[in-house]
Amino acid sequence: MQLLNFIKSQTNLPSKSIENTVQLLNEDCTIPFISRYRKERTGNLDEVQIGDIVTYKLQFEELEKRKITILKALGEQEVLTDELKQKIKTTTDLITLEDIYLPFKKKRKTKAEIARKNGLEPLAKIIMSQRATDIKSIAFKYINQEVKTKEEVLDGARHIIAEWINERADIRNNIRYQLDKFAIISTKVVKLKRDDTSTSLSTSEKAQKYRDYFDWSESLHRCPSHRLLAILRAEKEGFIRVKVEIDTDRAISKIEDRIIRSNNDCAFQIKLAIQDSYKRLLFPALSNETLNKAKERADDNAIQVFAKNLKQLLLGAPLGEKNILAIDPGFRSGCKVVCLNAQGGLEYNETIYPHAPKNDQIGSIKKINSLVNAYKIEAIAIGNGTASRETEQLIRKIRFNNNVQVFVVSEAGASIYSASKIARDEFPNFDVTVRGAVSIGRRLADPLAELVKIDAKSIGVGQYQHDVDQTKLKNSLDTVVQSCVNAIGVNINTASTSLLSYVSDIGLKIAENIVNYRNENGSFLSRNEIKKVTRLGAKAFEQSAGFLRIKNGKNPLDDSAVHPESYAVVTKIAKDLKLNISDLIGNKEALNKINLQNYCTETIGLLTLKDIVSELEKPGLDPRQTAKVFTFNQNIRTINDLREGQLLPGIVNNITNFGCFVDIGIKESGLVHISNLADTYVSDVSKVVNLHQQVIVKVVEVDVARKRIQLRMNFK
């Protein structure tokens, strides 16, 4: 019951929905399966809401695990009272729990611990009682071989008092409050770095990048996530020093108000102890805690942005099953050309040298024309890296016999894929250049199927992805990939191991077994046949079957998102309408006649039935749009060709909280700041633009030295 209450307090979702979802999660059900096929039990929760339940369930379990460890430690110390035990058990957050445990925590050799061993704790208690009027005289009684002067005695007593003050939860929470509300983060350039870069600032890329933060100050709680991550990266790379500050006098005064209630020698000693406790113990620890919390929030924000971008990228418009000629362009090393069939299979590869130093444009044009005719090419995909614009211009000069569409495709991550084990397994007899070109062509055909083979961090649509918590980032991106793959569905007879591994409850090993079964036995003819795959048991079948598609199989429902557990109800509906299932699919007139209430059961309700009817109307419909041809301004080759006021076509290639970056066909992408996105106020960039959206932008400012381009969205 505690778990359910904890999740409810964090999410405000209905109790029954939380209870049933937790039960399903405990039964090892996946998020895609629960959100798609258990709507009656969850109350129609979506993947995001179920994901929140998973997050808070893990948080609660981590908290409970820590409580058990602390209770055990306190029991061993024989200090666990009923009151303390109850306090620990009812705690609902980790910070409060650690504050409760702090006074009992085994410490390394501290100044306070040394003072205790020297017999000074009774004196510290006398001082804290604030009754003694001549504490210095009392201090003489505590002089011994270890503490030989009155000053050393009082100093040791103050160390003990400082530790007590540090362990008070109310004082710690008050300083936390001040840090949360009033903390200022400031930066100063490291002197050595200033000296190293002052004479060559325009040529030092890193110095240029961090120059804005060489002398910076602002409220920590107002500092945007991207700026905080940039500041912390600059600090990590040694360019700046970072400080977090609050009003020290005010903070110390607040502590004094809580402790001091006299005006004698004791009060003076306590004041000194408070100053020591604040400067040596409280502020260093709590300012670091506050900065770490701010970093966590910034991480979460950046990961959320990355996840949104990744989802849009993975669900990018596919060209579909076409014969594609793909080119990985280059100058000296030439352009690697591959021809792919409609299923993405490699038919041919060759290298052409249209650019300097060989400049064989005529020979290259003849070769491309010949390949287009020989392999019935319907589209050409050109990587957007080095020599991309020159190669695109060459291709557009060619007059093909048929209509051949030309696309420029992002190469981000292609080099990582080409050197990966996945690529070596797919193309063991070809080098990295061929594999890279194949990846470019396949990305055009189906971005999702190809991009799942690449580590998501390498795809290039993130914001400080190398600076955030890597475990959180991986978990978030894996969830996004899984969500996208299951939202589209996977053709089990053509999908790669990588793609299959993201299907609900499949994983890499079962995905390999599916491909091995396919290689040994041929294509799957029905979903029931999937049960024959090694290690794919009843649970895995239940979780995955609805997301696996079989084209032209024995049962037409096998090529739909209708789960096999619902086949019986579809059969009954078809029988009642006196139709075959194949005649029911796509028959809107017949489907509109169905009274869904007649088919409700204990396990299948209206929500599931509505999903079934929707799927029967358009079975296996791919929700993604179709890829569109796009052309950059052919007169813009480098940043030096840009002029303020120019209107240019571009493609949104990254979205951040502060704006979006637009590819205008040169090496550097331009920034459209959030203030330049629309002629009205914009609070959320992702609500205004989408990744890969084709736009017209206006050049606002060009900083050639810093390689920065400021753009404005063309509103007209």
Side-chain angles (χ1 to χ4, degrees):
M1 188 58 74
Q2 263 190 327
L3 169 63
L4 302 183
N5 290 337
F6 177 78
I7 295 173
K8 185 172 176 60
S9 69
Q10 302 292 332
T11 63
N12 207 27
L13 293 171
S15 298
K16 197 65 181 174
S17 295
I18 295 170
E19 184 180 355
N20 287 342
T21 302
V22 167
Q23 187 178 348
L24 288 164
L25 291 168
N26 289 337
E27 293 169 5
D28 294 326
C29 295
T30 67
I31 293 176
F33 175 80
I34 295 169
S35 65
R36 174 78 194 191
Y37 297 113
R38 292 295 179 263
K39 291 184 176 180
E40 281 77 18
R41 288 185 66 180
T42 67
N44 202 21
L45 297 184
D46 60 29
E47 286 191 0
V48 174
Q49 292 167 315
I50 296 168
D52 287 343
I53 291 175
V54 171
T55 299
Y56 293 120
K57 179 175 180 286
L58 291 172
Q59 272 186 25
F60 180 83
E61 288 167 352
E62 182 184 341
L63 182 67
E64 291 300 296
K65 188 176 177 182
R66 182 61 180 151
K67 285 180 183 179
I68 291 168
T69 302
I70 289 172
L71 288 168
K72 183 181 177 184
L74 294 175
E76 289 171 354
Q77 293 178 41
E78 298 182 351
V79 294
L80 185 60
T81 63
D82 290 342
E83 183 185 355
L84 182 57
K85 187 175 184 180
Q86 185 61 22
K87 200 173 181 182
I88 289 170
K89 284 192 169 182
T90 54
T91 300
T92 57
D93 72 274
L94 208 51
I95 288 176
T96 304
L97 180 63
E98 295 298 342
D99 278 355
I100 294 170
Y101 181 47
L102 185 60
F104 308 98
K105 201 171 186 179
K106 287 186 178 178
K107 301 174 179 70
R108 55 184 174 80
K109 194 174 181 180
T110 64
K111 290 182 177 182
E113 196 60 36
I114 293 168
R116 284 192 189 92
K117 286 181 180 178
N118 292 334
L120 300 179
E121 189 163 26
L123 178 60
K125 289 179 179 178
I126 291 170
I127 294 171
M128 283 300 285
S129 72
Q130 302 183 47
R131 295 193 187 100
T133 55
D134 188 7
I135 199 67
K136 292 180 181 178
S137 298
I138 298 172
F140 275 111
K141 298 176 184 178
Y142 292 87
I143 292 175
N144 56 44
Q145 287 185 337
E146 301 299 329
V147 278
K148 299 176 180 178
T149 67
K150 174 188 66 177
E151 287 72 22
E152 287 181 9
V153 168
L154 291 173
D155 196 38
R158 289 196 299 269
H159 288 151
I160 296 171
I161 294 168
E163 188 175 271
W164 288 339
I165 293 167
N166 179 56
E167 291 170 350
R168 278 187 52 170
D170 61 327
I171 290 172
R172 294 176 73 85
N173 285 334
N174 182 264
I175 294 173
R176 282 190 184 107
Y177 174 82
Q178 292 180 65
L179 283 162
D180 288 343
K181 293 292 182 182
F182 309 118
I184 299 295
I185 184 169
S186 60
T187 65
K188 291 289 181 185
V189 66
V190 173
K191 188 176 185 298
L192 184 62
K193 292 288 184 180
R194 188 205 301 274
D195 294 342
D196 286 348
T197 61
S198 59
T199 57
S200 59
L201 201 57
S202 61
T203 59
S204 171
E205 282 191 19
K206 284 193 174 180
Q208 289 285 358
K209 187 164 58 174
Y210 299 133
R211 192 173 69 186
D212 291 343
Y213 308 118
F214 280 3
D215 186 9
W216 184 268
S217 176
E218 70 175 311
S219 168
L220 179 58
H221 84 273
R222 292 181 183 275
C223 184
S225 61
H226 62 272
R227 187 178 299 145
L228 180 60
L229 291 172
I231 286 170
L232 294 177
R233 180 190 286 181
E235 181 191 36
K236 187 177 179 181
E237 293 184 5
F239 280 89
I240 61 173
R241 289 193 178 93
V242 176
K243 283 173 67 177
V244 173
E245 298 171 295
I246 54 174
D247 186 330
T248 299
D249 292 340
R250 184 172 184 270
I252 289 175
S253 176
K254 292 280 186 184
I255 301 172
E256 289 175 350
D257 291 345
R258 288 174 180 270
I259 296 175
I260 297 174
R261 55 183 187 278
S262 65
N263 191 23
N264 54 22
D265 282 353
C266 292
F268 177 72
Q269 294 299 324
I270 293 171
K271 278 188 177 183
L272 293 177
I274 287 171
Q275 291 172 16
D276 175 45
S277 181
Y278 179 79
K279 292 175 182 177
R280 181 169 58 87
L281 301 172
L282 283 163
F283 185 76
L286 297 179
S287 61
N288 281 339
E289 178 188 288
T290 300
L291 186 58
N292 287 336
K293 279 166 58 183
K295 167 70 163 55
E296 282 181 29
R297 289 193 297 270
D299 283 1
D300 291 344
N301 211 307
I303 290 169
Q304 188 178 32
V305 169
F306 198 155
K308 280 184 182 178
N309 287 351
L310 180 62
K311 183 174 183 178
Q312 290 186 24
L313 184 68
L314 294 176
L315 297 180
L319 185 64
E321 295 185 348
K322 307 276 188 184
N323 295 328
I324 294 173
L325 184 147
I327 305 174
D328 186 357
F331 287 113
R332 185 174 296 277
S333 58
C335 299
K336 179 59 68 176
V337 179
V338 297
C339 296
L340 307 177
N341 60 32
Q343 287 72 46
L346 176 61
E347 298 285 341
Y348 180 85
N349 78 90
E350 185 169 333
T351 304
I352 59 174
Y353 298 88
H355 312 307
K358 292 193 177 180
N359 291 316
D360 183 19
Q361 288 208 358
I362 294 174
S364 298
I365 288 172
K366 285 181 179 177
K367 174 54 69 176
I368 294 292
N369 218 336
S370 169
L371 293 175
V372 166
N373 292 330
Y375 292 96
K376 296 182 173 56
I377 297 299
E378 299 164 88
I380 294 176
I382 303 167
N384 70 340
T386 305
S388 175
R389 296 301 302 279
E390 293 79 1
T391 305
E392 183 191 0
Q393 285 189 327
L394 176 82
I395 297 300
R396 293 192 184 281
K397 288 179 184 177
I398 305 173
R399 296 183 179 276
F400 298 111
N401 295 332
N402 299 314
N403 181 29
V404 177
Q405 295 178 299
V406 179
F407 298 85
V408 176
V409 178
S410 171
E411 289 184 7
S415 60
I416 291 172
Y417 160 76
S418 62
S420 69
K421 182 181 183 301
I422 295 171
R424 290 196 301 272
D425 290 345
E426 281 192 284
F427 302 104
N429 300 320
F430 296 98
D431 64 20
V432 292
T433 61
V434 175
R435 298 172 196 154
V438 170
S439 180
I440 289 167
R442 286 179 171 178
R443 286 186 194 197
L444 175 61
D446 189 343
L448 178 60
E450 193 62 21
L451 291 174
V452 294
K453 301 174 186 175
I454 302 167
D455 179 3
K457 287 187 296 184
S458 306
I459 294 176
V461 292
Q463 174 182 307
Y464 298 100
Q465 60 261 39
H466 300 293
D467 301 295
V468 302
D469 184 308
Q470 295 301 295
T471 302
K472 273 187 182 179
L473 178 64
K474 184 181 186 308
N475 290 340
S476 177
L477 299 186
D478 283 350
T479 299
V480 169
V481 176
Q482 187 183 52
S483 173
C484 292
V485 169
N486 290 288
I488 301 300
V490 171
N491 183 341
I492 194 171
N493 286 323
T494 60
S496 66
T497 302
S498 301
L499 188 59
L500 285 165
S501 70
Y502 284 103
V503 173
S504 170
D505 208 32
I506 291 294
L508 185 59
K509 187 59 187 173
I510 296 178
E512 290 173 351
N513 292 345
I514 289 172
V515 173
N516 291 337
Y517 181 93
R518 205 168 64 197
N519 292 338
E520 293 169 8
N521 301 282
S523 296
F524 289 89
L525 300 178
S526 70
R527 276 177 170 161
N528 269 334
E529 191 180 350
I530 298 171
K531 295 176 182 178
K532 296 180 181 179
V533 173
T534 305
R535 292 182 62 179
L536 200 153
K539 189 67 179 181
F541 180 79
E542 175 198 55
Q543 299 292 303
S544 64
F547 305 107
L548 296 169
R549 309 280 191 269
I550 296 174
K551 305 285 182 185
N552 306 313
K554 294 177 180 177
N555 188 334
L557 294 177
D558 286 349
D559 189 22
S560 74
V562 177
H563 197 282
E565 66 188 9
S566 298
Y567 282 9
V569 73
V570 177
T571 302
K572 186 173 185 337
I573 290 170
K575 185 178 179 182
D576 291 347
L577 292 171
K578 296 181 173 55
L579 293 170
N580 293 323
I581 290 176
S582 56
D583 295 327
L584 180 62
I585 292 173
N587 189 338
K588 288 189 177 182
E589 185 180 346
L591 292 168
N592 287 336
K593 293 178 181 177
I594 302 170
N595 183 354
L596 297 180
Q597 294 285 357
N598 295 340
Y599 302 96
C600 288
T601 66
E602 288 185 7
T603 55
I604 298 178
L606 281 176
L607 291 169
T608 298
L609 289 168
K610 285 177 181 177
D611 278 352
I612 290 171
V613 170
S614 176
E615 185 62 22
L616 292 174
E617 285 181 0
K618 296 176 180 178
L621 177 69
D622 192 328
R624 298 173 291 179
Q625 297 178 342
T626 306
K628 296 178 182 176
V629 173
F630 175 85
T631 305
F632 292 113
N633 185 318
Q634 299 300 303
N635 297 318
I636 306 298
R637 304 278 190 87
T638 70
I639 192 171
N640 296 310
D641 296 325
L642 297 177
R643 299 290 180 271
E644 290 182 16
Q646 285 174 324
L647 290 177
L648 302 172
I651 297 176
V652 177
N653 63 358
N654 203 355
I655 297 173
T656 69
N657 284 333
F658 54 88
C660 68
F661 288 91
V662 177
D663 181 0
I664 52 176
I666 61 176
K667 184 179 179 181
E668 300 81 13
S669 292
L671 171 66
V672 181
H673 189 265
I674 190 169
S675 60
N676 289 327
L677 268 178
D679 53 5
T680 56
Y681 174 74
V682 175
S683 59
D684 186 349
V685 179
S686 62
K687 289 183 179 178
V688 179
V689 290
N690 299 312
L691 211 61
H692 285 176
Q693 181 178 336
Q694 299 177 7
V695 296
I696 301 294
V697 291
K698 185 176 184 177
V699 179
V700 175
E701 183 183 342
V702 182
D703 185 340
V704 176
R706 301 178 77 182
K707 297 182 180 178
R708 290 186 177 181
I709 305 162
Q710 295 289 335
L711 304 172
R712 180 189 296 273
M713 204 65 72
N714 188 39
F715 306 135
K716 295 182 180 179

